[in-house]
Amino acid sequence: MGKVNSKTVHYSLKSKKKQRQLSTNSFSSTSTTSSSEVSHSSQEISPNEEELFQYVDNRRFYKWNDYVNYVYPVDHDETDRSQMQHFMYKHVWGRNFSSPIEQELQSDSMRILDVGCGSGTWILEMASEYPNAHFTGVDIARLYPLEIKPENVSFSQANVLVGLPFPDDTFDFIHMSFMLFAFTLKNWEIAINELVRVCKPGGYVELMEKDIFWFNEGPFCKAARTVMAEELREKKSMEVVITPTLQKVLSQHSTVNHDEKVVPLGEWGGKLGKLYRELYSWGAKNLKNVMIDVGFSEDEWNETVDICLKQLQERKGYDKIHRFWIKKNEN
C-alpha cells in the first residue's frame, strides 16, 4: 500500500502527542455564548471588512471570536469549491431540499430563507425553479450578488449567532447547509434555535450536513481522522461528527425527519467518486491554515490528506451526507 503502513499511522499518533505540547494561544478564544445572550437588534457584525477579516498567504479568513468561527478561507477559490460541491450534492439528492414543500413552493405567498448562503448558488437556483416564491439569503460575508439577481431574491448581511434581522414567525421554509466548520459545538444550539424562531408555525426547518467519518477506511485514515477530530475539539471546540447533535437539538422543537445518501470517495465510484475525491482534496487543503494552527506542518497536512484519499480509493471508502428537517409546531 506504499506509504500507508504502520509507520505512517505511528507518525499520525506521534504528531498528536507533539501537538499537545504546543501553545494554545492561537486558539484561546472559545464560544461561551448562550441563547439568552443573543440580541436580535442591538448587536450586529460590523460591515467594515478590515475588522471582519484577516489575510494569510494572500487568502482572506474571518477573525476568530465568539460570534465568528468559520475556518475556511473566504475567497474566490473557496467559492468555486462550494459551488461545485452544491451541484454535486444536488445530483446525489436529485433536488435541493427534502422537506415536503413542493406544492407550497408554487405559491406567491411562500417565503424561504437560506442561512449561510455564501455566493447564493442554492438561492439563485431555487428562485429560478420556483419563480412565484420569495427567497432571502443571509451571510456574514457579502459574497452574494449585490445588484444582478432575480426579482424574487434578496440578500442581506447577517450572523445567525448574533441574531437574524427578522421578526418571529417570518418564513415558511428555512434552509441551512454545510456549517460544520462555521460553528463550535455550543454555537449549534444557538443557531438552530434562531432558525426555529423565525420559522412560521407549520413551516419547515431543514439542515444538510456531513460528518468527517469514513466507511471502509484503513488504519491510517482512522488514526489521522481521530487526531484531527480530537485536536479541533480540544483547541477550537468544534465537533466534526455533528449529526447526533443536530438530531438532539432539533428534537427539542419537533419530530425529526432524516434521510441520508452514500457518496463514494475515489475513482472506484465512477465519475461521482472521482469528482468527490477532487472536492475532498480541495476542501481538505483549504483547511490548511487551521490545521497548521492546531499542530500540523503544511507538509504533514498535505501528506496526510493524500495518504487518506489513496487509502480510501484502495478500500472503496465512502461517506454519507444527511438531511434533517422538522415541521414547527403550530400551537
Side-chain angles (χ1 to χ4, degrees), residues 215-227:
F215 298 84
N216 292 347
E217 66 182 1
F220 182 87
C221 288
K222 183 176 181 180
R225 179 176 56 77
T226 300
V227 169

Side-chain angles (χ1 to χ4, degrees), residues 170-183:
T170 298
F171 296 95
D172 301 282
F173 176 58
I174 300 174
H175 172 266
M176 186 171 74
S177 64
F178 300 126
M179 302 295 276
L180 183 69
F181 290 107
F183 296 150

Side-chain angles (χ1 to χ4, degrees), residues 259-271:
D259 196 6
E260 64 183 33
K261 296 288 185 181
V262 169
V263 188
L265 258 167
E267 287 81 353
W268 73 269
K271 291 182 180 180

Side-chain angles (χ1 to χ4, degrees), residues 15-56:
S15 176
K16 177 179 183 298
K17 182 177 180 181
K18 173 184 174 183
Q19 293 160 23
R20 293 188 184 279
Q21 299 172 355
L22 300 175
S23 168
T24 59
N25 290 341
S26 58
F27 283 118
S28 60
S29 175
T30 56
S31 175
T32 57
T33 312
S34 67
S35 57
S36 62
E37 294 176 296
V38 175
S39 167
H40 304 304
S41 58
S42 61
Q43 292 178 312
E44 294 183 358
I45 291 297
S46 169
N48 188 327
E49 299 281 311
E50 293 182 358
E51 294 180 10
L52 194 58
F53 296 107
Q54 60 182 337
Y55 290 83
V56 180

Side-chain angles (χ1 to χ4, degrees), residues 160-161 176 183 186-196:
V160 67
L161 299 181
M176 186 171 74
F183 296 150
K186 290 182 179 180
N187 291 160
W188 276 105
E189 185 168 6
I190 297 170
I192 292 173
N193 288 344
E194 184 68 354
L195 302 189
V196 174

Side-chain angles (χ1 to χ4, degrees), residues 167-329:
D168 296 357
D169 308 335
T170 298
F171 296 95
D172 301 282
F173 176 58
I174 300 174
H175 172 266
M176 186 171 74
S177 64
F178 300 126
M179 302 295 276
L180 183 69
F181 290 107
F183 296 150
T184 66
L185 190 57
K186 290 182 179 180
N187 291 160
W188 276 105
E189 185 168 6
I190 297 170
I192 292 173
N193 288 344
E194 184 68 354
L195 302 189
V196 174
R197 179 187 72 81
V198 300
C199 183
K200 293 179 182 178
Y204 288 86
V205 173
E206 180 169 316
L207 309 178
M208 180 166 66
E209 291 292 337
K210 69 175 181 179
D211 297 320
I212 305 301
F213 187 90
W214 305 312
F215 298 84
N216 292 347
E217 66 182 1
F220 182 87
C221 288
K222 183 176 181 180
R225 179 176 56 77
T226 300
V227 169
M228 175 186 181
E230 292 185 357
E231 292 302 318
L232 286 173
R233 185 181 301 120
E234 177 181 321
K235 295 177 180 174
K236 289 188 70 65
S237 300
M238 285 184 164
E239 179 56 67
V240 296
V241 179
I242 198 61
T243 55
T245 297
L246 303 188
Q247 290 180 292
K248 180 180 179 181
V249 177
L250 286 168
S251 69
Q252 297 171 4
H253 298 281
S254 187
T255 301
V256 180
N257 302 277
H258 172 231
D259 196 6
E260 64 183 33
K261 296 288 185 181
V262 169
V263 188
L265 258 167
E267 287 81 353
W268 73 269
K271 291 182 180 180
L272 176 62
K274 182 179 180 180
L275 174 60
Y276 198 34
R277 183 193 187 283
E278 292 172 357
L279 280 169
Y280 228 106
S281 177
W282 192 355
K285 291 181 179 180
N286 273 355
L287 285 173
K288 175 190 71 174
N289 193 57
V290 68
M291 298 316 299
I292 289 173
D293 281 333
V294 300
F296 285 83
S297 72
E298 182 174 354
D299 288 342
E300 284 174 341
W301 178 242
N302 288 337
E303 183 182 20
T304 297
V305 172
D306 291 340
I307 294 174
C308 283
L309 292 174
K310 182 175 186 286
Q311 193 169 83
L312 289 165
Q313 161 64 20
E314 292 170 343
R315 299 173 68 94
K316 295 186 176 180
Y318 62 92
D319 72 1
K320 296 179 180 180
I321 51 174
H322 303 264
R323 281 180 178 169
F324 302 95
W325 67 97
I326 61 170
K327 182 178 182 179
K328 184 174 177 179
N329 295 328

Side-chain angles (χ1 to χ4, degrees), residues 102-206:
E102 180 74 36
Q103 183 174 351
E104 287 81 355
L105 284 168
Q106 311 301 327
S107 170
D108 60 7
S109 65
M110 187 74 165
R111 298 191 65 187
I112 298 94
L113 174 67
D114 186 28
V115 175
C117 66
S119 61
T121 306
W122 186 90
I123 282 276
L124 296 172
E125 194 171 79
M126 287 286 289
S128 176
E129 294 176 2
Y130 303 99
N132 292 327
H134 302 274
F135 295 86
T136 301
V138 298
D139 201 289
I140 189 174
R142 295 188 294 269
L143 298 174
Y144 42 78
L146 296 176
E147 296 179 359
I148 302 175
K149 56 184 183 294
E151 292 184 359
N152 61 334
V153 170
S154 64
F155 293 103
S156 62
Q157 188 177 25
N159 183 348
V160 67
L161 299 181
V162 174
L164 296 172
F166 309 110
D168 296 357
D169 308 335
T170 298
F171 296 95
D172 301 282
F173 176 58
I174 300 174
H175 172 266
M176 186 171 74
S177 64
F178 300 126
M179 302 295 276
L180 183 69
F181 290 107
F183 296 150
T184 66
L185 190 57
K186 290 182 179 180
N187 291 160
W188 276 105
E189 185 168 6
I190 297 170
I192 292 173
N193 288 344
E194 184 68 354
L195 302 189
V196 174
R197 179 187 72 81
V198 300
C199 183
K200 293 179 182 178
Y204 288 86
V205 173
E206 180 169 316

